[in-house]
Coordinates of all heavy atoms in Angstrom, one line a residue:
M1 N -0.9 -69.3 -44.4 CA -2.0 -69.7 -45.3 C -2.6 -70.9 -44.7 O -1.9 -71.9 -44.4 CB -1.4 -70.0 -46.7 CG -2.3 -70.7 -47.6 SD -2.8 -69.8 -49.2 CE -2.2 -68.4 -49.3
I2 N -3.9 -70.9 -44.7 CA -4.6 -72.2 -44.3 C -4.8 -73.0 -45.5 O -5.4 -72.6 -46.5 CB -6.0 -71.8 -43.5 CG1 -5.6 -71.0 -42.2 CG2 -6.8 -73.0 -43.2 CD1 -6.9 -70.4 -41.6
L3 N -4.6 -74.4 -45.3 CA -4.8 -75.4 -46.4 C -5.7 -76.5 -45.9 O -5.4 -77.0 -44.8 CB -3.5 -75.9 -46.9 CG -2.4 -75.0 -47.3 CD1 -1.1 -75.6 -47.5 CD2 -2.8 -74.1 -48.5
T4 N -6.7 -76.8 -46.7 CA -7.6 -77.8 -46.2 C -8.2 -78.6 -47.5 O -8.5 -78.0 -48.6 CB -8.7 -77.4 -45.4 OG1 -9.5 -78.4 -45.0 CG2 -9.5 -76.3 -45.9
T5 N -8.5 -79.9 -47.3 CA -9.1 -80.6 -48.3 C -10.7 -80.5 -48.3 O -11.3 -80.8 -49.1 CB -8.8 -82.1 -48.2 OG1 -9.2 -82.6 -46.8 CG2 -7.4 -82.4 -48.5
T6 N -11.2 -79.9 -47.1 CA -12.6 -79.7 -47.0 C -13.1 -78.4 -47.7 O -12.3 -77.5 -48.0 CB -12.9 -79.5 -45.5 OG1 -12.2 -78.4 -44.8 CG2 -12.5 -80.8 -44.7
P7 N -14.4 -78.3 -48.0 CA -14.9 -77.1 -48.7 C -14.9 -75.9 -47.9 O -15.2 -74.7 -48.5 CB -16.2 -77.5 -49.2 CG -16.6 -78.6 -48.2 CD -15.4 -79.3 -47.8
Q8 N -14.7 -75.9 -46.6 CA -14.7 -74.8 -45.8 C -13.7 -75.0 -44.6 O -13.3 -76.1 -44.3 CB -16.1 -74.5 -45.2 CG -16.7 -75.7 -44.6 CD -18.2 -75.7 -44.6 OE1 -18.8 -74.8 -45.4 NE2 -18.9 -76.6 -43.9
V9 N -13.5 -73.9 -43.8 CA -12.7 -74.0 -42.6 C -13.5 -73.9 -41.4 O -14.1 -72.8 -41.3 CB -11.5 -72.9 -42.7 CG1 -10.6 -73.1 -41.5 CG2 -10.7 -73.1 -43.9
E10 N -13.6 -74.7 -40.6 CA -14.4 -74.7 -39.4 C -14.1 -73.5 -38.6 O -13.0 -73.2 -38.3 CB -14.3 -76.0 -38.6 CG -15.3 -76.0 -37.5 CD -15.3 -77.4 -36.8 OE1 -14.8 -78.4 -37.3 OE2 -15.7 -77.4 -35.6
G11 N -15.1 -72.8 -38.1 CA -14.8 -71.6 -37.3 C -14.7 -70.3 -38.2 O -14.5 -69.2 -37.6
Y12 N -14.5 -70.4 -39.5 CA -14.2 -69.3 -40.4 C -15.4 -69.2 -41.3 O -15.9 -70.3 -41.8 CB -12.9 -69.4 -41.1 CG -11.7 -69.3 -40.1 CD1 -11.2 -70.4 -39.6 CD2 -11.2 -68.1 -39.9 CE1 -10.1 -70.4 -38.8 CE2 -10.1 -68.0 -39.1 CZ -9.6 -69.1 -38.5 OH -8.4 -69.1 -37.7
R13 N -15.7 -68.0 -41.8 CA -16.6 -67.7 -42.9 C -15.8 -67.3 -44.0 O -15.0 -66.4 -44.0 CB -17.6 -66.7 -42.5 CG -18.7 -66.4 -43.6 CD -19.7 -65.4 -43.1 NE -19.1 -64.0 -43.0 CZ -18.9 -63.3 -44.1 NH1 -19.3 -63.7 -45.3 NH2 -18.4 -62.1 -44.0
I14 N -16.1 -67.9 -45.2 CA -15.4 -67.5 -46.4 C -16.0 -66.2 -46.8 O -17.2 -66.1 -47.2 CB -15.5 -68.6 -47.6 CG1 -14.8 -69.9 -47.1 CG2 -15.0 -68.1 -48.9 CD1 -14.9 -71.0 -48.1
R15 N -15.2 -65.2 -47.0 CA -15.6 -63.7 -47.3 C -15.5 -63.6 -48.8 O -16.3 -62.8 -49.3 CB -14.9 -62.8 -46.6 CG -15.0 -62.8 -45.0 CD -14.3 -61.8 -44.3 NE -12.9 -61.8 -44.6 CZ -12.0 -60.9 -44.5 NH1 -12.5 -59.7 -44.1 NH2 -10.8 -61.0 -44.8
E16 N -14.6 -64.3 -49.5 CA -14.4 -64.1 -50.9 C -13.7 -65.2 -51.6 O -12.8 -65.8 -51.0 CB -13.5 -62.7 -51.1 CG -13.3 -62.3 -52.5 CD -12.5 -61.1 -52.7 OE1 -12.1 -60.4 -51.6 OE2 -12.2 -60.7 -53.8
Y17 N -14.3 -65.6 -52.7 CA -13.6 -66.6 -53.5 C -12.8 -65.9 -54.7 O -13.3 -65.2 -55.4 CB -14.8 -67.5 -54.2 CG -15.5 -68.4 -53.2 CD1 -16.6 -67.9 -52.5 CD2 -15.1 -69.7 -52.9 CE1 -17.3 -68.7 -51.6 CE2 -15.8 -70.4 -52.1 CZ -16.9 -70.0 -51.4 OH -17.5 -70.7 -50.5
K18 N -11.5 -66.3 -54.6 CA -10.7 -65.7 -55.6 C -10.5 -66.6 -56.9 O -10.2 -66.0 -57.9 CB -9.2 -65.7 -55.0 CG -9.2 -64.6 -53.8 CD -9.4 -63.2 -54.3 CE -9.0 -62.2 -53.3 NZ -9.2 -60.8 -53.8
G19 N -10.7 -67.9 -56.8 CA -10.6 -68.7 -58.0 C -9.8 -69.9 -57.8 O -9.3 -70.2 -56.7
V20 N -9.8 -70.8 -58.8 CA -9.1 -72.0 -58.8 C -7.6 -71.7 -58.9 O -7.2 -70.9 -59.7 CB -9.5 -73.0 -59.8 CG1 -8.7 -74.2 -60.0 CG2 -11.1 -73.4 -59.7
V21 N -6.8 -72.4 -58.0 CA -5.3 -72.4 -58.2 C -4.8 -73.8 -58.3 O -5.4 -74.8 -57.8 CB -4.8 -71.7 -56.9 CG1 -4.9 -70.2 -57.0 CG2 -5.3 -72.3 -55.6
T22 N -3.7 -73.9 -58.9 CA -3.1 -75.2 -59.2 C -1.6 -75.2 -58.9 O -1.0 -74.0 -58.8 CB -3.2 -75.7 -60.6 OG1 -2.7 -74.7 -61.5 CG2 -4.8 -75.8 -61.0
G23 N -1.0 -76.3 -58.7 CA 0.4 -76.4 -58.7 C 0.9 -77.7 -59.3 O 0.2 -78.8 -59.1
E24 N 1.9 -77.7 -60.1 CA 2.2 -79.0 -60.8 C 3.8 -79.2 -60.6 O 4.5 -78.2 -60.6 CB 1.9 -78.9 -62.2 CG 0.5 -78.7 -62.5 CD 0.1 -77.2 -62.5 OE1 1.1 -76.4 -62.5 OE2 -1.1 -76.9 -62.5
T25 N 4.2 -80.4 -60.5 CA 5.6 -80.7 -60.6 C 5.9 -82.0 -61.1 O 4.9 -83.0 -61.1 CB 6.3 -80.7 -59.1 OG1 7.7 -80.7 -59.3 CG2 5.8 -81.8 -58.2
I26 N 7.0 -82.2 -61.9 CA 7.3 -83.4 -62.5 C 8.7 -83.7 -62.1 O 9.6 -82.9 -62.2 CB 7.2 -83.4 -64.1 CG1 5.7 -83.1 -64.4 CG2 7.7 -84.8 -64.6 CD1 5.5 -83.1 -66.0
I27 N 8.9 -85.0 -61.5 CA 10.2 -85.3 -61.0 C 10.7 -86.7 -61.6 O 9.8 -87.6 -61.5 CB 10.3 -85.3 -59.5 CG1 10.1 -84.0 -58.9 CG2 11.6 -85.9 -58.9 CD1 10.0 -83.8 -57.4
G28 N 11.8 -86.7 -62.2 CA 12.3 -88.1 -62.7 C 13.0 -88.8 -61.5 O 13.6 -88.3 -60.7
A29 N 12.7 -90.1 -61.6 CA 13.4 -91.1 -60.6 C 14.6 -91.6 -61.2 O 14.6 -92.0 -62.3 CB 12.4 -92.2 -60.1
N30 N 15.8 -91.4 -60.6 CA 17.1 -91.8 -61.2 C 17.2 -93.4 -61.3 O 16.6 -94.1 -60.6 CB 18.3 -91.0 -60.6 CG 18.6 -91.5 -59.3 OD1 18.5 -92.7 -58.9 ND2 19.2 -90.6 -58.5
F31 N 18.2 -93.6 -62.1 CA 18.5 -95.1 -62.3 C 18.7 -95.9 -61.0 O 18.3 -97.0 -60.8 CB 19.7 -95.2 -63.3 CG 20.1 -96.6 -63.6 CD1 19.3 -97.5 -64.4 CD2 21.3 -97.1 -63.2 CE1 19.6 -98.7 -64.7 CE2 21.7 -98.4 -63.5 CZ 20.8 -99.1 -64.2
M32 N 19.7 -95.4 -60.2 CA 20.0 -96.1 -58.9 C 18.9 -96.3 -58.1 O 18.6 -97.3 -57.4 CB 21.2 -95.4 -58.3 CG 22.5 -95.5 -59.0 SD 23.0 -97.2 -59.4 CE 23.5 -97.8 -57.8
K33 N 18.0 -95.3 -57.9 CA 16.8 -95.5 -57.1 C 15.8 -96.5 -57.6 O 15.3 -97.3 -56.9 CB 16.0 -94.1 -57.0 CG 16.7 -93.1 -56.1 CD 15.9 -91.8 -56.0 CE 16.7 -90.7 -55.3 NZ 15.9 -89.5 -55.4
D34 N 15.8 -96.6 -58.9 CA 15.0 -97.6 -59.6 C 15.4 -99.1 -59.2 O 14.7 -100.0 -58.9 CB 15.0 -97.5 -61.1 CG 14.2 -96.3 -61.6 OD1 13.4 -95.8 -60.8 OD2 14.4 -95.9 -62.7
I35 N 16.8 -99.3 -59.3 CA 17.4 -100.5 -59.0 C 17.1 -100.9 -57.5 O 16.7 -102.0 -57.2 CB 18.9 -100.5 -59.2 CG1 19.2 -100.5 -60.7 CG2 19.6 -101.8 -58.6 CD1 20.6 -100.3 -61.1
F36 N 17.4 -100.0 -56.6 CA 17.1 -100.3 -55.2 C 15.6 -100.4 -54.8 O 15.4 -101.3 -54.0 CB 17.8 -99.1 -54.2 CG 19.3 -99.2 -54.3 CD1 20.0 -98.1 -54.6 CD2 19.9 -100.4 -53.9 CE1 21.4 -98.2 -54.6 CE2 21.3 -100.5 -54.0 CZ 22.1 -99.3 -54.4
A37 N 14.8 -99.8 -55.5 CA 13.4 -99.9 -55.3 C 12.9 -101.2 -55.8 O 12.1 -101.9 -55.2 CB 12.6 -98.7 -56.0
G38 N 13.5 -101.7 -56.9 CA 13.2 -103.0 -57.4 C 13.6 -104.1 -56.5 O 12.8 -105.1 -56.2
I39 N 14.7 -103.9 -55.9 CA 15.2 -105.0 -55.0 C 14.4 -104.9 -53.7 O 13.9 -105.9 -53.2 CB 16.7 -104.7 -54.5 CG1 17.7 -104.9 -55.7 CG2 17.1 -105.5 -53.3 CD1 19.1 -104.4 -55.5
R40 N 14.0 -103.8 -53.2 CA 13.2 -103.6 -52.0 C 11.8 -104.2 -52.3 O 11.2 -105.0 -51.5 CB 13.0 -102.1 -51.7 CG 12.0 -101.9 -50.6 CD 12.6 -102.0 -49.3 NE 13.7 -101.1 -49.2 CZ 14.4 -100.9 -48.1 NH1 14.1 -101.5 -47.0 NH2 15.5 -100.1 -48.1
D41 N 11.2 -104.1 -53.5 CA 10.0 -104.7 -54.0 C 10.1 -106.2 -53.9 O 9.1 -106.8 -53.4 CB 9.6 -104.3 -55.4 CG 9.1 -102.8 -55.3 OD1 8.8 -102.3 -54.2 OD2 9.0 -102.3 -56.4
I42 N 11.2 -106.8 -54.3 CA 11.4 -108.2 -54.3 C 11.4 -108.7 -52.9 O 10.8 -109.8 -52.5 CB 12.6 -108.7 -55.1 CG1 12.4 -108.3 -56.5 CG2 12.9 -110.1 -54.9 CD1 13.7 -108.4 -57.4
V43 N 12.2 -108.2 -52.1 CA 12.3 -108.7 -50.6 C 11.2 -108.1 -49.7 O 11.2 -108.5 -48.6 CB 13.7 -108.3 -50.1 CG1 14.8 -109.1 -50.9 CG2 14.1 -106.9 -50.1
G44 N 10.4 -107.1 -50.1 CA 9.4 -106.6 -49.3 C 9.9 -105.3 -48.6 O 11.1 -105.0 -48.6
G45 N 9.0 -104.6 -47.9 CA 9.2 -103.4 -47.3 C 9.0 -102.1 -48.1 O 8.5 -102.2 -49.2
R46 N 9.3 -101.0 -47.5 CA 9.0 -99.7 -48.1 C 10.2 -99.2 -48.9 O 11.4 -99.6 -48.5 CB 8.6 -98.8 -47.0 CG 7.3 -99.1 -46.4 CD 7.0 -98.3 -45.1 NE 7.0 -96.9 -45.4 CZ 6.6 -96.0 -44.6 NH1 6.2 -96.3 -43.4 NH2 6.7 -94.7 -44.9
S47 N 9.9 -98.4 -49.9 CA 11.1 -97.8 -50.7 C 11.2 -96.4 -50.2 O 10.5 -95.4 -50.6 CB 10.8 -97.8 -52.2 OG 11.7 -97.1 -52.9
A48 N 12.2 -96.2 -49.2 CA 12.4 -94.9 -48.7 C 12.8 -93.8 -49.8 O 12.4 -92.7 -49.6 CB 13.5 -94.9 -47.6
S49 N 13.6 -94.3 -50.8 CA 14.0 -93.3 -51.8 C 12.8 -92.9 -52.6 O 12.7 -91.6 -52.9 CB 15.0 -94.0 -52.8 OG 14.5 -95.1 -53.4
Y50 N 11.9 -93.7 -52.9 CA 10.7 -93.2 -53.7 C 9.8 -92.4 -52.8 O 9.2 -91.5 -53.3 CB 9.9 -94.4 -54.3 CG 10.4 -94.8 -55.6 CD1 10.9 -96.0 -55.9 CD2 10.3 -93.8 -56.7 CE1 11.3 -96.4 -57.3 CE2 10.8 -94.2 -57.9 CZ 11.3 -95.4 -58.2 OH 11.8 -95.7 -59.4
E51 N 9.7 -92.9 -51.5 CA 8.8 -92.0 -50.6 C 9.4 -90.5 -50.4 O 8.6 -89.6 -50.4 CB 8.8 -92.7 -49.2 CG 7.9 -93.9 -49.3 CD 8.0 -94.6 -48.0 OE1 8.7 -94.3 -47.0 OE2 7.3 -95.8 -47.8
K52 N 10.7 -90.4 -50.4 CA 11.3 -89.2 -50.3 C 11.0 -88.4 -51.6 O 10.7 -87.2 -51.5 CB 12.8 -89.3 -50.2 CG 13.5 -88.0 -50.0 CD 15.1 -88.2 -49.6 CE 15.8 -86.9 -49.4 NZ 17.2 -87.1 -49.2
V53 N 11.1 -88.9 -52.7 CA 10.8 -88.2 -54.0 C 9.4 -87.9 -54.1 O 9.1 -86.8 -54.5 CB 11.2 -89.2 -55.2 CG1 10.8 -88.6 -56.5 CG2 12.8 -89.4 -55.3
L54 N 8.5 -88.7 -53.6 CA 7.1 -88.5 -53.6 C 6.8 -87.2 -52.7 O 6.0 -86.4 -53.1 CB 6.3 -89.6 -53.2 CG 4.8 -89.6 -53.3 CD1 4.3 -89.4 -54.7 CD2 4.2 -91.0 -52.8
R55 N 7.4 -87.2 -51.5 CA 7.1 -86.1 -50.6 C 7.6 -84.8 -51.2 O 6.9 -83.8 -51.1 CB 7.8 -86.3 -49.2 CG 6.9 -87.1 -48.4 CD 7.5 -87.2 -46.9 NE 8.8 -87.7 -46.8 CZ 9.1 -88.9 -46.8 NH1 8.1 -89.7 -46.7 NH2 10.3 -89.3 -46.7
K56 N 8.7 -84.8 -51.8 CA 9.3 -83.6 -52.4 C 8.4 -83.1 -53.5 O 8.2 -81.9 -53.6 CB 10.8 -83.9 -52.9 CG 11.5 -82.6 -53.5 CD 12.8 -83.0 -54.0 CE 13.5 -81.7 -54.6 NZ 14.7 -82.0 -55.2
A57 N 8.0 -84.0 -54.4 CA 7.1 -83.6 -55.4 C 5.7 -82.9 -54.9 O 5.3 -82.0 -55.4 CB 6.9 -84.8 -56.3
K58 N 5.2 -83.6 -53.8 CA 4.0 -83.0 -53.3 C 4.3 -81.7 -52.7 O 3.5 -80.7 -52.9 CB 3.4 -84.0 -52.3 CG 2.1 -83.5 -51.8 CD 1.8 -83.9 -50.4 CE 2.9 -84.0 -49.4 NZ 2.8 -82.9 -48.2
D59 N 5.3 -81.6 -51.9 CA 5.7 -80.3 -51.3 C 5.9 -79.1 -52.2 O 5.4 -78.0 -52.1 CB 6.9 -80.4 -50.4 CG 6.6 -81.3 -49.1 OD1 5.4 -81.6 -48.9 OD2 7.5 -81.7 -48.5
T60 N 6.6 -79.5 -53.4 CA 6.8 -78.5 -54.6 C 5.5 -78.0 -55.1 O 5.3 -76.8 -55.3 CB 7.8 -79.0 -55.5 OG1 9.0 -79.4 -54.8 CG2 8.0 -78.1 -56.6
A61 N 4.6 -78.9 -55.4 CA 3.3 -78.7 -56.0 C 2.5 -77.8 -55.0 O 1.9 -76.8 -55.6 CB 2.6 -79.9 -56.5
M62 N 2.5 -78.2 -53.8 CA 1.7 -77.4 -52.8 C 2.3 -76.0 -52.7 O 1.4 -75.0 -52.5 CB 1.7 -78.1 -51.5 CG 0.9 -79.4 -51.4 SD -0.9 -79.2 -51.5 CE -1.2 -78.6 -49.9
Q63 N 3.6 -75.8 -52.6 CA 4.2 -74.5 -52.5 C 3.8 -73.7 -53.7 O 3.5 -72.5 -53.5 CB 5.7 -74.7 -52.4 CG 6.5 -73.3 -52.1 CD 6.0 -72.6 -50.9 OE1 5.9 -73.2 -49.9 NE2 5.9 -71.3 -51.0
E64 N 3.8 -74.2 -54.9 CA 3.5 -73.5 -56.1 C 2.1 -73.0 -56.0 O 1.8 -71.8 -56.4 CB 3.8 -74.4 -57.3 CG 3.5 -73.7 -58.6 CD 3.9 -74.6 -59.8 OE1 5.1 -75.0 -59.9 OE2 2.9 -75.0 -60.5
M65 N 1.3 -73.8 -55.6 CA -0.3 -73.6 -55.5 C -0.4 -72.5 -54.5 O -1.2 -71.5 -54.7 CB -1.0 -74.8 -55.1 CG -2.6 -74.5 -55.0 SD -3.5 -76.1 -54.7 CE -2.9 -76.5 -53.1
M66 N 0.3 -72.6 -53.3 CA 0.2 -71.4 -52.3 C 0.6 -70.1 -52.9 O 0.0 -69.1 -52.6 CB 0.9 -71.8 -51.0 CG 0.3 -72.9 -50.2 SD 1.0 -73.1 -48.6 CE 2.7 -73.6 -49.0
E67 N 1.8 -70.2 -53.5 CA 2.2 -68.9 -54.1 C 1.3 -68.2 -55.1 O 1.1 -67.0 -55.1 CB 3.6 -69.1 -54.8 CG 4.7 -69.4 -53.9 CD 6.0 -69.9 -54.5 OE1 6.1 -70.0 -55.8 OE2 6.9 -70.3 -53.7
R68 N 0.6 -69.1 -55.9 CA -0.4 -68.5 -56.8 C -1.7 -68.0 -56.1 O -2.1 -67.0 -56.4 CB -0.8 -69.6 -57.8 CG 0.3 -69.9 -58.8 CD -0.2 -71.1 -59.6 NE 0.9 -71.4 -60.7 CZ 1.0 -72.4 -61.4 NH1 0.0 -73.4 -61.3 NH2 2.1 -72.6 -62.2
A69 N -2.0 -68.6 -55.0 CA -3.2 -68.1 -54.2 C -2.8 -66.8 -53.5 O -3.6 -65.9 -53.4 CB -3.5 -69.2 -53.2
Q70 N -1.5 -66.7 -53.0 CA -1.1 -65.5 -52.3 C -1.1 -64.3 -53.3 O -1.4 -63.1 -53.0 CB 0.2 -65.6 -51.8 CG 0.3 -66.4 -50.5 CD 1.5 -66.8 -49.9 OE1 2.6 -66.8 -50.6 NE2 1.7 -67.1 -48.6
A71 N -0.7 -64.6 -54.6 CA -0.6 -63.6 -55.6 C -2.0 -63.0 -55.9 O -2.2 -62.0 -56.4 CB 0.1 -64.1 -56.8
M72 N -3.0 -63.9 -55.7 CA -4.4 -63.5 -55.9 C -5.0 -62.7 -54.7 O -6.2 -62.3 -54.7 CB -5.4 -64.7 -56.2 CG -4.8 -65.5 -57.5 SD -5.6 -67.1 -57.7 CE -7.3 -66.6 -58.3
G73 N -4.2 -62.7 -53.6 CA -4.8 -62.0 -52.4 C -5.5 -63.0 -51.5 O -6.2 -62.5 -50.6
A74 N -5.3 -64.2 -51.7 CA -6.1 -65.2 -50.8 C -5.2 -65.5 -49.5 O -4.0 -65.4 -49.5 CB -6.3 -66.5 -51.6
N75 N -5.9 -65.9 -48.4 CA -5.2 -66.4 -47.3 C -5.5 -67.7 -46.8 O -5.2 -68.2 -45.8 CB -5.4 -65.3 -46.0 CG -6.9 -65.4 -45.7 OD1 -7.8 -66.0 -46.2 ND2 -7.3 -64.6 -44.7
A76 N -6.3 -68.5 -47.7 CA -6.5 -69.9 -47.5 C -6.9 -70.6 -48.8 O -7.2 -69.9 -49.9 CB -7.7 -70.1 -46.6
I77 N -6.8 -71.9 -48.9 CA -7.1 -72.7 -49.9 C -7.9 -73.8 -49.5 O -7.6 -74.6 -48.5 CB -5.9 -73.2 -50.7 CG1 -4.9 -72.2 -51.3 CG2 -6.4 -74.1 -51.9 CD1 -3.7 -72.6 -51.8
V78 N -9.2 -73.9 -50.1 CA -10.0 -75.0 -49.6 C -10.3 -76.0 -50.8 O -9.9 -75.7 -51.9 CB -11.5 -74.4 -49.2 CG1 -11.3 -73.5 -47.9 CG2 -12.2 -73.7 -50.3
G79 N -10.7 -77.2 -50.4 CA -11.1 -78.2 -51.4 C -9.8 -78.7 -52.2 O -10.0 -79.0 -53.3
I80 N -8.8 -78.8 -51.5 CA -7.6 -79.3 -52.1 C -7.7 -80.7 -52.6 O -8.1 -81.6 -51.8 CB -6.3 -79.0 -51.1 CG1 -6.1 -77.5 -50.9 CG2 -5.1 -79.7 -51.8 CD1 -5.0 -77.2 -49.9
D81 N -7.2 -81.0 -53.8 CA -7.1 -82.2 -54.3 C -5.7 -82.5 -54.7 O -5.0 -81.7 -55.4 CB -8.0 -82.5 -55.5 CG -8.0 -83.8 -56.1 OD1 -8.1 -84.9 -55.3 OD2 -7.7 -83.9 -57.3
I82 N -5.1 -83.6 -54.5 CA -3.7 -84.0 -54.9 C -3.8 -85.2 -55.7 O -4.3 -86.2 -55.3 CB -2.7 -84.3 -53.6 CG1 -2.8 -83.1 -52.7 CG2 -1.3 -84.5 -54.1 CD1 -2.1 -83.3 -51.3
D83 N -3.2 -85.2 -56.9 CA -3.2 -86.2 -57.8 C -1.7 -86.7 -58.2 O -0.9 -85.8 -58.3 CB -3.9 -85.9 -59.2 CG -5.4 -85.7 -59.0 OD1 -6.0 -86.5 -58.3 OD2 -5.9 -84.8 -59.5
Y84 N -1.6 -88.0 -58.2 CA -0.3 -88.6 -58.5 C -0.3 -89.4 -59.7 O -1.3 -90.1 -59.9 CB 0.2 -89.5 -57.4 CG 0.4 -88.8 -56.0 CD1 -0.7 -88.6 -55.2 CD2 1.5 -88.1 -55.6 CE1 -0.7 -88.0 -53.9 CE2 1.7 -87.5 -54.4 CZ 0.6 -87.5 -53.6 OH 0.7 -86.9 -52.3
E85 N 0.6 -89.2 -60.7 CA 0.6 -90.0 -61.9 C 2.1 -90.3 -62.3 O 2.9 -89.4 -62.0 CB 0.0 -89.2 -63.0 CG -1.5 -88.8 -62.9 CD -2.4 -90.2 -63.1 OE1 -2.0 -91.1 -63.7 OE2 -3.4 -90.1 -62.4
T86 N 2.3 -91.4 -62.9 CA 3.6 -91.7 -63.5 C 3.4 -91.4 -65.1 O 2.4 -91.7 -65.6 CB 4.0 -93.2 -63.4 OG1 3.0 -94.0 -63.7 CG2 4.3 -93.4 -61.9
I87 N 4.4 -90.9 -65.5 CA 4.4 -90.4 -67.0 C 5.7 -90.6 -67.7 O 6.7 -91.1 -66.9 CB 4.0 -88.9 -67.2 CG1 5.0 -88.0 -66.4 CG2 2.6 -88.7 -66.6 CD1 4.9 -86.6 -66.8
G88 N 5.7 -90.5 -68.9 CA 7.0 -90.6 -69.7 C 7.2 -92.0 -70.0 O 6.5 -93.0 -69.8
E89 N 8.3 -92.2 -70.8 CA 8.6 -93.5 -71.3 C 9.0 -94.4 -70.2 O 9.7 -94.1 -69.2 CB 10.0 -93.4 -72.2 CG 10.3 -94.6 -73.0 CD 11.3 -94.3 -74.0 OE1 11.3 -93.2 -74.6 OE2 12.2 -95.2 -74.1
S90 N 8.3 -95.6 -70.2 CA 8.5 -96.6 -69.1 C 8.0 -96.1 -67.8 O 8.5 -96.5 -66.7 CB 10.0 -97.0 -68.9 OG 10.4 -97.6 -70.2
N91 N 7.2 -95.0 -67.8 CA 6.6 -94.4 -66.4 C 7.8 -94.1 -65.5 O 7.8 -94.3 -64.4 CB 5.7 -95.5 -65.9 CG 4.5 -95.7 -66.6 OD1 3.9 -94.7 -67.2 ND2 3.9 -96.8 -66.5
S92 N 8.8 -93.3 -66.1 CA 10.0 -93.1 -65.4 C 9.9 -91.8 -64.6 O 10.9 -91.4 -64.0 CB 11.3 -93.1 -66.3 OG 11.0 -92.1 -67.4
M93 N 8.9 -91.0 -64.8 CA 8.7 -89.7 -64.2 C 7.5 -89.7 -63.4 O 6.5 -90.4 -63.6 CB 8.8 -88.6 -65.2 CG 9.9 -88.6 -66.1 SD 10.0 -87.2 -67.1 CE 10.9 -86.1 -66.0
L94 N 7.5 -89.0 -62.2 CA 6.3 -88.8 -61.4 C 5.8 -87.4 -61.6 O 6.5 -86.4 -61.4 CB 6.8 -89.1 -59.9 CG 5.7 -88.7 -58.9 CD1 4.6 -89.8 -59.0 CD2 6.4 -88.8 -57.5
M95 N 4.6 -87.3 -61.7 CA 3.8 -85.9 -61.7 C 2.9 -85.8 -60.5 O 2.2 -86.8 -60.3 CB 3.0 -85.8 -63.0 CG 2.3 -84.4 -63.1 SD 1.3 -84.2 -64.5 CE 0.0 -85.3 -64.3
V96 N 3.0 -84.7 -59.8 CA 2.1 -84.4 -58.8 C 1.3 -83.1 -59.1 O 2.0 -82.2 -59.5 CB 2.8 -84.3 -57.4 CG1 1.8 -83.9 -56.4 CG2 3.5 -85.6 -57.1
A97 N 0.0 -83.1 -59.2 CA -0.7 -82.0 -59.5 C -1.6 -81.7 -58.3 O -2.2 -82.6 -57.9 CB -1.6 -82.2 -60.8
T98 N -1.7 -80.5 -57.9 CA -2.6 -80.1 -56.8 C -3.5 -78.9 -57.3 O -3.1 -78.3 -58.2 CB -1.7 -79.5 -55.6 OG1 -0.9 -78.3 -56.0 CG2 -0.9 -80.5 -55.0
S99 N -4.7 -79.0 -56.8 CA -5.7 -77.9 -57.2 C -6.6 -77.6 -55.9 O -6.7 -78.5 -55.1 CB -6.5 -78.3 -58.3 OG -7.3 -79.4 -58.0
G100 N -7.1 -76.4 -55.9 CA -8.0 -76.0 -54.8 C -8.6 -74.7 -55.2 O -8.4 -74.1 -56.3
T101 N -9.4 -74.2 -54.3 CA -10.1 -72.9 -54.4 C -9.4 -71.9 -53.5 O -9.4 -72.1 -52.2 CB -11.5 -72.9 -54.1 OG1 -12.1 -74.0 -55.1 CG2 -12.2 -71.6 -54.4
A102 N -8.8 -70.8 -54.0 CA -8.3 -69.7 -53.2 C -9.3 -68.9 -52.7 O -10.2 -68.4 -53.4 CB -7.2 -68.9 -54.1
V103 N -9.3 -68.6 -51.4 CA -10.4 -67.8 -50.7 C -9.7 -66.9 -49.6 O -8.6 -67.0 -49.3 CB -11.3 -68.8 -50.0 CG1 -12.0 -69.7 -50.9 CG2 -10.7 -69.5 -48.9
V104 N -10.5 -65.9 -49.3 CA -10.3 -65.1 -48.2 C -11.2 -65.4 -47.1 O -12.4 -65.4 -47.3 CB -10.4 -63.5 -48.6 CG1 -10.2 -62.6 -47.4 CG2 -9.4 -63.2 -49.8
I105 N -10.7 -65.6 -45.9 CA -11.5 -65.9 -44.7 C -11.2 -65.0 -43.7 O -10.4 -64.1 -43.7 CB -11.2 -67.4 -44.1 CG1 -9.8 -67.5 -43.8 CG2 -11.7 -68.5 -45.2 CD1 -9.4 -68.8 -43.2

């Protein structure tokens, strides 16, 4: 499956638009990661634990979107948008939502 944030795929002609597809995932960050991330924020640097959670959430949402596109008979998704939000009490959960247009090229 070809995935792109652009509205078309260079070198290919879109033969059929199948429709909008989405993928969503919500992942909670656990207590220990919060503590270590807080310490990391105080002393500076990157929070590897949060980066790992963020990548996992994005990968899960993208996979869900691809599965929906395949079920529609698409072989590519164009115009992909990825949104990240914190939700829940004290912003303790991370939501990643992906969307794009399923197409046949």
